[in-house]
Amino acid sequence: MTQPAAIDDARATPTAARTDVATTTDAGVPAEASVGGRIRDLRQSRGISARALAKTLGISPSAVSQIERGVMQPSVSRLIAITDALGVPLVAAFDPASDRPLEPAGPSGFTLQRAGQTPDIVLDSGVSFRRLTPGSSPGIDYFESIYPPGAAAHGADGLFHHEGYEVGTVVAGELTIDFEAERVILRAGDAISYPCSVPHRLHNTGDADAVAHWLIVHG
């Protein structure tokens, strides 16, 4: 059950992209496995320049370059802003297979994803994401997020918004969501839904990892 708590104020903000050489990032991470490398591929496949993406996001071209090269990890809110700007689902930024439909595994027509087959990605402040949907799921993002103690979806204290409708269930720990006029604390078993257009901020004020499953429906 959600537990509304203190009413407080916050504000707003959101934003990233790779090139085409299969090497390692400046941070020593294989380019193909990095979030920045994946974003770069998505950007280039859509014919969008790094400068044009930077302008859309309201950041400098050098910041886009740093994200693409793995020098700087984007926050959750920045990654969402990037995928919105590129017109792709959030999962496309951390799973190259997300845009490649899988063949059904058997005559029953199901698609199977075994444990360990989907990589985790770690963003700014240590927040990690893992895709939960086996195969392609047009119009839907379904993933797991883990927020370490003190981690937030947005680097500053502001709120952010994005495209879609969000449904989340906390699996473990405690996750706090700030809205413009109130704060909601979610604990294991609690669930919440809201339009992503409503300014919000997710963060973990507890002393253990907060694990949540999220479904984002794109309208």
Side-chain angles (χ1 to χ4, degrees):
M1 179 183 298
T2 58
Q3 297 185 5
I7 292 178
D8 62 13
D9 285 329
R11 274 130 265 194
T13 318
T15 106
R18 168 176 164 177
T19 39
D20 210 13
V21 180
T23 58
T24 60
T25 67
D26 290 358
V29 178
E32 294 81 357
S34 71
V35 178
R38 176 61 180 156
I39 292 170
R40 186 191 67 177
D41 286 345
L42 291 167
R43 173 179 64 77
Q44 291 185 331
S45 70
R46 283 153 181 75
I48 301 173
S49 70
R51 185 173 296 277
L53 178 60
K55 183 176 181 180
T56 299
L57 299 173
I59 61 176
S60 68
S62 64
V64 170
S65 175
Q66 288 178 6
I67 292 172
E68 289 186 344
R69 292 183 289 117
V71 175
M72 179 172 66
Q73 286 294 336
S75 64
V76 177
S77 60
R78 178 134 313 194
L79 181 61
I80 291 174
I82 292 166
T83 54
D84 280 357
L86 294 176
V88 298
L90 177 61
V91 294
F94 49 90
D95 185 1
S98 64
D99 55 5
R100 296 199 304 270
L102 299 181
E103 291 297 321
S108 298
F110 63 82
T111 301
L112 180 65
Q113 175 178 286
R114 294 293 188 184
Q117 287 185 319
T118 303
D120 291 4
I121 64 158
V122 181
L123 303 177
D124 183 50
S125 79
V127 179
S128 66
F129 279 72
R130 180 172 66 91
R131 183 181 185 227
L132 296 179
T133 310
S136 60
S137 54
I140 295 176
D141 285 336
Y142 183 43
F143 56 91
E144 177 182 84
S145 65
I146 301 177
Y147 284 74
H154 184 20
D157 289 332
L159 308 182
F160 73 102
H161 59 86
H162 52 100
E163 187 270 335
Y165 192 88
E166 199 158 36
V167 181
T169 300
V170 171
V171 178
E174 180 178 294
L175 189 64
T176 299
I177 305 181
D178 291 338
F179 295 101
E180 287 183 306
E182 58 191 329
R183 169 174 291 179
V184 178
I185 299 175
L186 301 169
R187 299 184 177 89
D190 293 347
I192 192 170
S193 63
Y194 51 87
C196 300
S197 58
V198 174
H200 58 283
R201 177 176 182 259
L202 284 71
H203 55 116
N204 181 0
T205 59
D207 55 8
D209 286 354
V211 182
H213 291 172
W214 296 98
L215 182 69
I216 298 180
V217 181
H218 302 278

